[in-house]
Amino acid sequence: MAGKQAGDETSRYSFTDEQEEFRTVLRRFLDDKSPTTEVRRLMETETGWERAGWQQLNSQLGLTAVAIPEAYGGQGFGFVELCIVLEEMGRALLCAPYFASAVLATQAILNAGSEEDKEALLPAIASGETVATLAFTEDNGGWDSGAITMTATPSGSGYRLDGVKSFVLDGAAADLIIVVARRPASSGDDGLGFFVVDATADELEKTPLVTMDATRKLARLQFNGVEAKPLGDGNGAGAAFA
């Protein structure tokens, strides 16, 4: 984006020609793929989106790869391009797990994951093969560190998660869940970590929630000793509250 010019007391920001062209192409695509009739149809489905449409979104435009570095199968663009995608998807009321997978889960992995984690998890998210989400809030609805009560207990080479996550975006349909949990007997920012969970785990119970916005499906997730791997060293979540 263009910034402040010499001698200009006000800051003026504008998109580059390439970014505007990207917006034009994206808007044309979404106008075709997400008309009102399609939005209403998908709103009535259980998941709120369909795999075929999601794969088409990624195979033709590679949108889930926009803000993922090229080293991990992404396109290597930044937040400006990501914001353009989000703006245009919002304009079209696109029914897709984009924010959950390409933004929330992806940024958690990029910021808290080890190099090994990024190499293992991000390419499949970038291609759209894996749909991921971030499970943060619990039944109390709080966004501060003190609201996190889910426990992550060491078990063998990994951890076991017990507790509830609620209001999880696309939580009932995601393939991979990045969960914020705390070690037993910890409090506040201490002991918080991100953990990676396979959404097909038998010990994981998923309950869709009734919401006002049917284009964004939420779920309540009950973890009953679910096996999990730490993201990075398993201590990265506390920094989000610093």
Side-chain angles (χ1 to χ4, degrees):
M1 297 177 70
K4 185 175 181 179
Q5 303 297 316
D8 190 350
E9 295 182 357
T10 61
S11 294
R12 295 191 180 94
Y13 292 92
S14 60
F15 294 103
T16 65
D17 291 342
E18 291 79 6
Q19 290 165 346
E20 290 291 5
E21 177 62 23
F22 175 53
R23 182 190 296 277
T24 298
V25 172
L26 179 56
R27 179 171 296 188
R28 186 182 305 120
F29 178 86
L30 293 175
D31 283 344
D32 179 59
K33 301 299 180 183
S34 185
T36 301
T37 52
E38 181 67 359
V39 173
R40 292 188 180 280
R41 184 184 72 82
L42 290 172
M43 285 170 59
E44 298 301 320
T45 64
E46 183 177 353
T47 60
W49 56 279
E50 293 177 344
R51 292 274 174 177
W54 174 248
Q55 291 170 355
Q56 187 178 50
L57 188 76
N58 294 296
S59 64
Q60 294 189 20
L61 293 180
L63 295 181
T64 50
V66 166
I68 294 177
E70 293 181 81
Y72 311 118
Q75 296 192 39
F77 292 108
F79 281 105
V80 174
E81 289 78 13
L82 182 60
C83 285
I84 291 173
V85 173
L86 293 172
E87 284 182 349
E88 293 304 314
M89 286 184 174
R91 175 183 177 275
L93 295 178
L94 181 73
C95 294
Y98 190 83
F99 188 66
S101 192
V103 182
L104 296 179
T106 292
Q107 289 304 312
I109 295 168
L110 284 172
N111 284 282
S114 65
E115 188 66 21
E116 182 180 356
D117 292 330
K118 296 171 187 177
E119 292 176 352
L121 301 174
L122 290 175
I125 294 176
S127 69
E129 178 184 351
T130 293
V131 172
T133 191
L134 176 68
F136 184 97
T137 54
E138 302 184 358
D139 283 341
N140 55 39
W143 285 94
D144 60 292
S145 60
I148 305 298
T149 63
M150 174 174 282
T151 57
T153 305
S155 177
S157 60
Y159 287 81
R160 186 183 70 251
L161 302 186
D162 291 279
V164 170
K165 290 296 178 181
S166 199
F167 316 109
V168 181
L169 189 59
D170 295 301
D175 307 305
L176 184 77
I177 306 172
I178 307 299
V179 183
V180 180
R182 66 170 62 256
R183 288 173 175 75
S186 66
S187 62
D189 296 352
D190 296 331
L192 286 179
F194 289 105
F195 298 87
V196 182
V197 169
D198 182 345
T200 64
D202 292 336
E203 301 82 6
L204 177 61
E205 300 177 20
K206 308 173 188 177
T207 304
L209 298 176
V210 178
T211 62
M212 293 182 64
D213 184 0
T215 68
R216 298 291 177 266
K217 304 294 185 178
L218 303 180
R220 183 179 189 271
L221 307 180
Q222 175 76 49
F223 294 76
N224 303 305
V226 176
E227 293 184 1
K229 297 179 180 179
L231 192 62
D233 61 6
N235 291 305
F241 302 97

